Amino acid sequence: MLILSTQQALSETFQPKVYRAPGRVNLIGEHTDYNQGFVMPAAIDFSTWVAIAPRQDRKLSIRSENFAEAVEIDLDQPATQGRGHWSDYPVGVAVKLEQSGHRLVGANMLVRGEVPIGSGLSSSAAIEVATGLALLENSDAKTDRVTLAKLCQQAENEFVGMRCGLMDQFVSCFGESGHALMLDCRGLDYHLLALPENVKLVVCNTMVKHDLANSEYNARRADCEEGVRLLSRKLPFVGSLRDITTGDLQRHKDQIPEVIGRRCRHVASENSRVLEAASALERSDLETFGQLMGESHRSLRDDYEVSCKELDLMVDLANQVEGVLGARMTGGGFGGCTINLVRSENVDSFKQFVAREYPEATGRNPEIYVCAAAQGAERAE
Ligand code: GLA
C-alpha cells in the first residue's frame, strides 16, 4: 500500500503536464494592432507544445526539440535582456511573470513547435503563451488570459526586443475553432465571426525569411508614432492612428512628410477595411471580403512598404486561379506567408498551380497549408 501510494506520489510529481498554444493567421487588419485599431486573426491548427514537470530548486531547464538544445536559467538571477536565441521567448515570459509578482516554481520543460518559424504565423506567440500557461499552472498560480497575453507581449517587447502589438498573443489565448476573432485593440473587446464552410484558409509560405523584419517592424512603429505626434498638433483628439481617417490625412497632409503620410494612410484605410470585412463576413458576402483582402495587400505593399517581391508574386499567382476570393500577405511582412481565401472545390487546383509556378519564378519550393481555424491555448494532457 505504502509503496503504491509512494509510486503514485512520484508519478504525480514527475509526470509532465503538457500545454498547447496555437500560431495564427491574420485575415485582415495588418499593422493596425499597435495603433489601437482593428484586426481579424484566427488561431490555426499548428501549435507549440510545452511539457513541464516541477523541480525542487528555482532553476528552469528548457529543452527545445526543434533546436536539439537545452538552456538552464536560475530564476533568482535572471537575465534582463534576450541574447538573440530561441530561448529568449520562454525565458522572457518567465522573467515577466516573476516581475509581475508571480513566484515561479523551478521546472524541467520540453518544447516542441510545429508552427513554421520566421514565416509570419506567429511561432513566437505560440511558444510564449504555451510557456506562460505551463509556468503558471506549474506554480499553482493563476491569471486571466488578457493579462497572460499582455505579459507575453511584454516579454517580446522588452526581453526579445521586438515591439509587436497584442494581436498574436491575444488570438493564441482566445482563438475558437471555426471562427476568426474581430478584435478592437483599443478596448480589447472582441467577437467571434464564423468562417463559412465552403471556403478554406490556404496559407502559402514564400520560404523567405527576412532578417530585417524586426528592425523594419520597429521602424514602422516609430513612423506611426511620429505621425501621431505631428498630426496631434493640429488635431488634439488624436492619441493614436486609430483616431485618424483618410479624410483627416488628406486635409492635413502638409503637416507630415510624405512617407509618414503613407504609413498613416495605410493604418487609417486598413482599419476601415477590417470593419467592412467583418460586416461582409456577417452577411456571407465573400466577394467583398476577398476584394478587401486585395486592397489590404496593395496598401501594405505601396503605402506601408512591408511586402517583398516573393509575397507580391504569391498574391499575383493566387489571383490567377479560379475560386480564389482574395489573397494578401499576412503577419508582419518582409517574407513569410500569404493568406488565401479559396473555394473548397478549387483548393486542389490552387495548390497545384502555386506549387508549379512559384518555384519556376523564384527557385524556391513553397509550402502550402490548408488551415482550419483552431481553438486557443489549453492544457493538452
Ligand atoms: C506581427 C506582430 C503583430 C502585428 C503584425 C502585423 O505579427 O507580432 O503584433 O503587428 O505583425 O499586423
Side-chain angles (χ1 to χ4, degrees):
M1 241 357 237
L2 181 66
I3 293 176
L4 251 188
S5 62
T6 307
Q7 263 180 359
Q8 205 171 7
L10 279 173
S11 79
E12 270 169 21
T13 311
F14 293 108
Q15 183 104 45
K17 292 182 176 145
V18 182
Y19 297 85
R20 177 193 69 79
R24 64 100 191 89
V25 67
N26 190 17
L27 303 191
I28 193 160
E30 219 66 84
H31 290 276
T32 45
D33 60 349
Y34 52 83
N35 290 301
Q36 299 198 2
F38 301 100
V39 292
M40 198 192 291
I44 51 174
D45 47 351
F46 285 122
S47 287
T48 294
W49 310 77
V50 172
I52 190 163
R55 335 180 358 151
Q56 300 306 316
D57 56 13
R58 288 253 300 155
K59 301 248 169 74
L60 290 183
S61 162
I62 312 173
R63 168 168 291 281
S64 157
E65 263 194 18
N66 302 65
F67 293 94
E69 203 179 63
V71 296
E72 189 170 277
I73 66 148
D74 185 342
L75 287 165
D76 292 320
Q77 288 175 316
T80 48
Q81 284 247 290
R83 52 187 175 112
H85 192 249
W86 63 265
S87 61
D88 293 351
Y89 297 91
V91 172
V93 170
V95 168
K96 291 296 159 194
L97 284 171
E98 285 261 326
Q99 282 174 1
S100 72
H102 295 289
R103 188 166 167 86
L104 299 178
V105 168
N108 293 322
M109 300 163 72
L110 178 65
V111 181
R112 172 189 293 171
E114 60 182 20
V115 186
I117 292 174
S119 61
L121 299 178
S122 214
S123 57
S124 48
I127 188 173
E128 288 157 10
V129 172
T131 304
L133 265 189
L135 286 173
L136 280 168
E137 293 201 12
N138 186 61
S139 311
D140 236 346
K142 285 215 167 15
T143 189
D144 64 273
R145 287 203 168 203
V146 172
T147 309
L148 173 62
K150 285 183 176 171
L151 283 170
C152 291
Q153 180 200 18
Q154 255 178 42
E156 197 160 333
N157 287 176
E158 293 163 21
F159 196 87
V160 177
M162 157 81 169
R163 297 184 63 208
C164 63
L166 188 60
M167 166 171 71
D168 304 348
Q169 293 79 5
F170 194 95
V171 70
S172 186
C173 284
F174 288 97
E176 288 273 346
S177 125
H179 293 79
L181 249 68
M182 168 70 181
L183 171 65
D184 178 344
C185 297
R186 174 165 274 169
L188 299 183
D189 327 305
Y190 73 95
H191 64 273
L192 296 173
L193 292 167
L195 292 169
E197 305 219 321
N198 53 345
V199 291
K200 294 276 178 280
L201 304 180
V202 186
V203 173
C204 295
N205 192 341
T206 60
M207 306 306 278
V208 175
K209 292 181 193 175
H210 274 210
D211 295 337
L212 281 179
N214 280 14
S215 57
E216 285 295 321
Y217 184 96
N218 290 349
R220 293 300 177 282
R221 280 202 70 154
D223 288 350
C224 293
E225 284 159 7
E226 181 64 357
V228 170
R229 192 182 70 79
L230 295 171
L231 288 162
S232 62
R233 295 193 301 201
K234 285 276 169 210
L235 303 168
F237 61 86
V238 173
S240 75
L241 290 184
R242 156 69 172 274
D243 301 318
I244 301 268
T245 63
T246 48
D248 295 330
L249 278 170
Q250 189 54 32
R251 277 187 294 280
H252 296 282
K253 64 172 187 246
D254 53 334
Q255 298 296 313
I256 41 179
E258 192 265 342
V259 171
I260 304 283
R262 281 192 285 118
R263 306 293 189 248
C264 298
R265 185 167 63 190
H266 164 71
V267 176
S269 63
E270 185 78 350
N271 276 329
S272 338
R273 279 188 289 273
V274 183
L275 293 172
E276 271 186 68
S279 67
L281 199 54
E282 270 157 4
R283 53 175 199 276
S284 302
D285 178 357
L286 298 180
E287 305 285 337
T288 301
F289 192 96
Q291 279 163 19
L292 291 162
M293 289 173 75
E295 284 170 27
S296 167
H297 184 79
R298 288 188 286 280
S299 177
L300 287 157
R301 183 191 65 196
D302 302 336
D303 277 354
Y304 218 65
E305 295 180 285
V306 290
S307 187
C308 64
K309 63 179 192 320
E310 292 84 357
L311 283 167
D312 295 342
L313 171 71
M314 203 60 113
V315 168
D316 286 346
L317 290 175
N319 286 330
Q320 295 170 34
V321 182
E322 200 191 326
V324 173
L325 293 152
R328 58 182 286 279
M329 55 157 274
T330 188
F334 305 104
C337 294
T338 60
I339 167 78
N340 305 272
L341 196 63
V342 186
R343 288 198 196 283
S344 303
E345 64 271 26
N346 300 103
V347 167
D348 286 343
S349 48
F350 171 80
K351 283 166 70 178
Q352 278 163 21
F353 183 76
V354 172
R356 189 180 68 231
E357 298 293 322
Y358 183 78
E360 230 166 68
T362 62
R364 293 173 195 267
N365 276 324
E367 285 182 2
I368 305 174
Y369 325 111
V370 181
C371 291
Q375 200 64 26
E378 61 191 359
R379 167 132 185 233
E381 280 166 33

